[in-house]
Each structure stands twice: as structure tokens, then as C-alpha cells.
Amino acid sequence: MMRPLTVLTVHPEFILAYAKFGVFKAARERKLAEVTALNLRDFAVDKHGSVDDRPFGGGDGMVMRPEPLTAALAAVSGEPRVIYTSPAGKPWTHAEAERLAAGKEPLVFVCGRFAGVDQRFLDKKVHEQYSLGDFVLSGGELAALAMIDSILRFVPGVLGHQESALKDSFADGCAGGLEHPLYTRPPEWEGMKVPEVLMGGDHEKIAAWRREEAKRRTAELRPDLMKR
Ligand code: SAH
């Protein structure tokens, strides 16, 4: 069944451009999930396409009004899980991507712009808020695309055979840590050789080396991910 993922945004072009490629395209072509965008300006409060207004209490920046967001949400069929991309949200992680991928309900991603979104809409209509990290983006589109991309990787059938989301960093295949280092041709480059073991063809030895290297790398670069 084709799972609908809908992005509410004032810049649908961002979403549609990115959705032409990669896992977005694969998911659509394999009829697993379809990413679409609704233009909030089509649900504006006036003929000029207004979706925002000045903040009560004063201050810089415009705030997104609740009505266009609510009207756009009403245009989404089914009972979607509504996600708001926000610096105030829970940190987006591998585990959240896997969890949302396992669900069957339609997903809606609300992209804020300007100073943000009227709190009443967030309180009443949004189920979950996620942040991409401790920095501020000028809009939620990049965050929504990053979240959707990482979700689609966990939808069975979206990725090809060789690439398995279950073997990548943070997954069980890496014991929750980082992936081992990767090498390809040429065997020697700028005086640097590919580790001997990888050239030998002993699959057991290679697997053991990769496990060891993954552990070493995780301990060095992300000690917070060790022993999970
Ligand atoms: N005034 C807000 C920032 C607004 S940025 C504040 O100080 O917290 C405009 C929009 O970009 C937000 O409404 C949100 O949807 C999106 N955004 C910004 N930073 C983000 C982040 N780290 N993660 C996810 N979305 C983010």
C-alpha cells in the first residue's frame, strides 16, 4: 500500500525538486510511499496569499497563522500523524526514523517559516515535534526532507539489496555505533594502501576486521554511542 507523506510548506518546490531523486523516487516507483507537498498559500486567509501576521505582544518577524495550516491539514485524507519540525522538538534520531517507518498511518510534516508558528496550532493539531539539531534553519523544509529521507530508508523495499539500512551506522548491524571505514579502487592512492585484509578475500577475517574497526572508530569519534 502506498503510504502518503505530505509536507505543508510555503515552498513546495523545495520538496518536489528533492523528491525527484533517490529514495523518494524509489519509494514512489515501487508504490511504497509517496511524498507530496501542499502549498500553504493555496489555503491563505486572503486573495494575496497571506499565511502569516505580526506577533501579538510585538517583536521582529512574522508568525504563521493557524487557519491556513488547519485548512491544509483538512485537505489531507485519512488520519495523519502530524509532525512539526522545530528547534524545540525532540532530537531526530535513527530510532525515531525506524519507529515512524514502521507505522502505517499517513504522515504530515509541518514546515515553519519566518519566526515560527502560532502556538495554538501546535498545541491542538501537532502530535510530535522533532529538531534536526541545536541550530536554527530559516524554514522546516530541509528538516522535513532529512526526516523523510531517513524514514524512507527503513521502509522495506525502498533500498536496493546491497545497501541495507540495518547495516549502516546507528543500526543493530553496527551495535548502535558507527560503520567501519570503506575503501574502493585504486588499491594504492597517493602512497596510501587499502588495508591488506580487505584484498585477501577471507570473508570471516574481513567481517572480524570490520567489527573491530567499527568499534575503534565509534570509541574514537562517538564515545557516547559505545556499549549499547
Ligand atoms: N523563532 C524560532 C525559529 C524559527 S526558524 C526559534 O527561535 O526557535 C523557522 C522554522 O524553521 C521553524 O518554525 C521550524 O519549522 C524550522 N526550523 C528551524 N530550525 C530547525 C531545527 N533545528 N530543526 C527542525 N526545524 C527547524
Side-chain angles (χ1 to χ4, degrees):
M1 195 203 71
M2 192 90 142
R3 189 178 187 197
L5 310 187
T6 309
V7 182
L8 311 190
T9 169
V10 291
H11 290 307
E13 300 90 340
F14 286 167
I15 308 300
L16 299 177
Y18 199 82
K20 283 190 191 144
F21 306 100
V23 287
F24 290 68
K25 182 180 178 208
R28 182 173 58 250
E29 286 180 353
R30 293 171 193 162
K31 303 205 185 318
L32 298 167
E34 180 161 49
V35 178
T36 54
L38 289 181
N39 190 342
L40 289 168
R41 303 241 182 244
D42 294 340
F43 303 89
V45 294
D46 58 21
K47 289 191 183 101
H48 312 294
S50 302
V51 296
D52 57 332
D53 212 324
R54 289 156 60 197
F56 280 123
D60 294 332
M62 301 294 270
V63 178
M64 295 180 79
R65 294 175 57 134
E67 311 97 303
L69 289 160
T70 309
L73 202 51
V76 177
S77 44
E79 299 236 323
R81 185 143 201 89
V82 182
I83 293 156
Y84 174 51
T85 63
S86 165
K90 285 182 278 180
W92 184 252
T93 60
H94 168 96
E96 300 295 341
E98 203 169 17
R99 190 174 66 78
L100 285 177
K104 296 272 177 281
E105 76 280 47
L107 298 179
V108 167
F109 291 83
V110 176
C111 299
R113 275 268 151 187
F114 322 115
V117 172
D118 187 289
Q119 186 63 37
R120 292 167 296 177
F121 175 82
L122 304 181
D123 290 344
K124 189 143 190 203
K125 304 286 185 184
V126 166
H127 300 116
E128 286 170 288
Q129 303 193 26
Y130 288 108
S131 169
L132 217 53
D134 289 350
F135 47 83
V136 173
L137 296 164
S138 45
E141 289 77 12
L142 275 175
L145 285 171
M147 291 169 194
I148 295 170
D149 187 305
S150 56
I151 289 171
L152 292 178
R153 295 169 52 79
F154 284 116
V155 174
V158 167
L159 289 184
H161 274 305
Q162 315 104 309
E163 332 160 73
S164 166
L166 306 176
K167 286 196 263 169
D168 282 318
S169 295
F170 313 114
D172 288 345
C174 289
L178 302 178
E179 191 187 48
H180 54 77
L182 302 167
Y183 294 89
T184 183
R185 282 187 275 193
E188 186 174 336
W189 173 78
E190 301 208 347
M192 301 164 83
K193 288 191 171 140
V194 171
E196 204 72 52
V197 57
L198 298 179
M199 313 293 281
D202 183 335
H203 295 296
E204 237 160 79
K205 256 194 180 159
I206 291 173
W209 181 87
R210 285 181 166 166
R211 264 196 310 277
E212 240 0 85
E213 281 295 297
K215 222 160 128 190
R216 183 192 58 72
R217 241 175 124 230
T218 306
E220 184 185 320
L221 301 172
R222 290 294 304 274
D224 56 306
L225 295 176
M226 290 299 284
K227 284 173 75 76
R228 289 198 336 193

